[in-house]
Amino acid sequence: MNKVTIVGSLNVDTTLRIKRMPLPGETLAAEGKSSAAGGKGANQAVSAARSGAQTAFIGEVGKDNSGQMMLSEMKANGIDVAGIRENDQVGTGTASILLDENGQNSILIYGGANQQLSPADVEAAQDKITTADFVVAQFETPQAATLRAFQLAKENGVATILNPAPAQKIDPEVLKLTDLIIPNETESAELTGVIITDETSMLISAAKFAQMGVRNLIITVGAKGAFYCTQDGYNFIPAFKVNAVDTTAAGDTFIGALSSQLKPDMSNIEKALVYAQRASSLAVQKMGALPSIPTKEQILAAGQN
C-alpha cells in the first residue's frame, strides 16, 4: 500500500448544467444546479484513498460550514486531516462550474483559504511528508508551500509528483525537486512552448522538461490517452472509449489513482498509467467531482469486462 500525501486545495464546487457555453454578454438559463466537495487537491486525495493508498492531506479551509463539509468529506474517505488548518479570517475556497450537455466544462475558482497555505503550515505537518512514498502538489495553493513540501520530501527520500494546473510560471527550484510532472497537453505547451501534435512533439517536450530538471513526464491528452517518458523509455497509452457526461475531475482522478499504484522508482509506470486511465474513464461517466471518483474494486472490475 502506497502512502500518499497531498499538498493542495479544498473547494466546495457549485455546478450549473447548461445546454451550451454562453457567448460574451449573453444570459442563459441553467437546467440544473448541484453542490459537492471538490478542489484539485481534494479530488486527488480521494482518488488515491479510494484506490487503497494510505492518504494524508496538508491544506487549509475556512472556519465555516463549507470548511466543516470538506473536513467531513475527507474523513469519510479515510483521509488523515490532521494537516488541514482551519482559518478564521478567510473563507473556504469555492469553484463555480459551467457544464454543457456534451460534458465539457468551464471553471471559475475563488481560492479563499487555499491561498493562505504557507511554508510554516507545511512544516507543522512535515511528519505527513517524511513518512510518505509520494508527495503530490498542484497550483491551486501557493508555490511557496509546494516548494517547502518538496524540499522536505527530497531531504527524506520521498518521491514528488507535480500537477502544474492551473498552468503558471513555475519556480525553477520547484521543478528541480520534482520527480514526475503531469501536465495536460495545454499546460505542457504553456510551460515548454511546444504544441502537442504527435509523438515527436511529446518527446521534444520531455527533453524541455528534462532541461528544467524533471526527468519523468506524463502528458495527458484528454480522450486520446496519455504519453509517458522516463529515463527507461516512453510510450503512448490510448484512453478507454466511453461516453463522457462530466469531465470535471477526470485529470485529478487519474493522478490520485496513479499515485496509489506507482512505485517510487517509476519501474511500473505503464501498468500504473493503464490503471489510472481506467479510473479516469469511469469518473467521466458520472456527474460531479468527488461523487464520480471510483474505488479500486470498481476499477479492477471494469478491467475484467
Side-chain angles (χ1 to χ4, degrees):
M1 178 193 297
N2 275 356
K3 293 182 178 180
V4 178
T5 294
I6 307 291
V7 180
S9 56
L10 300 124
N11 293 329
V12 173
D13 294 346
T14 297
T15 300
L16 295 173
R17 295 189 294 279
I18 54 180
K19 279 191 172 295
R20 59 173 176 80
M21 294 299 167
L23 299 172
E26 182 181 22
T27 299
L28 293 179
E31 299 181 340
K33 176 183 177 181
S34 60
S35 293
K40 295 191 71 62
N43 296 340
Q44 291 172 15
V46 168
S47 179
R50 289 183 183 172
S51 276
Q54 185 176 326
T55 310
F57 203 102
I58 299 175
E60 197 158 319
V61 294
K63 206 163 189 177
D64 49 27
N65 290 337
S66 293
Q68 290 304 308
M69 170 186 169
M70 294 306 302
L71 289 170
S72 295
E73 285 283 355
M74 296 298 100
K75 291 175 184 177
N77 281 278
I79 296 166
D80 181 349
V81 301
I84 300 178
R85 188 170 82 89
E86 293 182 70
N87 190 316
D88 59 5
Q89 301 295 315
V90 182
T92 301
T94 61
S96 298
I97 303 167
L98 297 180
L99 177 67
D100 71 18
E101 60 185 7
N102 295 314
Q104 293 302 307
N105 59 50
S106 292
I107 304 174
L108 296 173
I109 294 173
Y110 165 66
N114 293 312
Q115 291 304 310
Q116 303 303 308
L117 187 67
S118 70
D121 294 327
V122 171
E123 289 173 1
Q126 62 181 285
D127 61 305
K128 311 302 178 188
I129 293 172
T130 58
T131 58
D133 294 303
F134 286 102
V135 172
V136 184
Q138 333 77 35
F139 286 156
E140 288 183 349
T141 49
Q143 282 194 45
T146 298
L147 175 60
R148 188 64 189 124
F150 279 17
Q151 287 172 337
L152 289 167
K154 301 317 295 177
E155 288 168 8
N156 290 275
V158 177
T160 56
I161 297 176
L162 178 64
N163 172 216
Q168 57 186 259
K169 186 176 180 180
I170 305 178
D171 182 341
E173 293 304 311
V174 171
L175 288 171
K176 292 175 185 177
L177 297 168
T178 298
D179 290 307
L180 171 63
I181 191 167
I182 310 179
N184 63 25
E185 56 188 315
T186 303
E187 292 152 359
S188 178
E190 288 190 34
L191 294 169
T192 66
V194 179
I195 297 174
I196 301 300
T197 56
D198 54 17
E199 186 176 279
T200 298
S201 62
M202 292 176 184
L203 285 170
I204 294 172
S205 298
K208 293 270 190 182
F209 279 115
Q211 290 171 5
M212 298 177 199
V214 189
R215 295 186 178 183
N216 301 294
L217 165 71
I218 294 175
I219 301 175
T220 57
V221 194
K224 295 178 182 177
F227 169 84
Y228 77 84
C229 183
T230 70
Q231 298 173 76
D232 297 323
Y234 64 89
N235 199 2
F236 186 86
I237 309 299
F240 296 97
K241 302 301 180 184
V242 298
N243 293 319
V245 298
D246 185 358
T247 60
T248 301
D252 297 330
T253 298
F254 176 93
I255 290 169
L258 182 89
S259 70
S260 77
Q261 305 299 308
L262 187 63
K263 294 180 180 178
D265 64 2
M266 313 288 165
S267 60
N268 68 332
I269 191 167
E270 189 158 316
K271 183 179 180 180
L273 199 154
V274 170
Y275 176 91
Q277 291 269 54
R278 197 176 296 282
S280 184
S281 74
L282 292 174
V284 300
Q285 296 179 68
K286 293 183 178 180
M287 291 291 298
L290 294 195
S292 72
I293 297 171
T295 63
K296 184 175 184 177
E297 291 73 22
Q298 290 169 329
I299 297 164
L300 295 177
Q304 296 171 356
N305 295 334

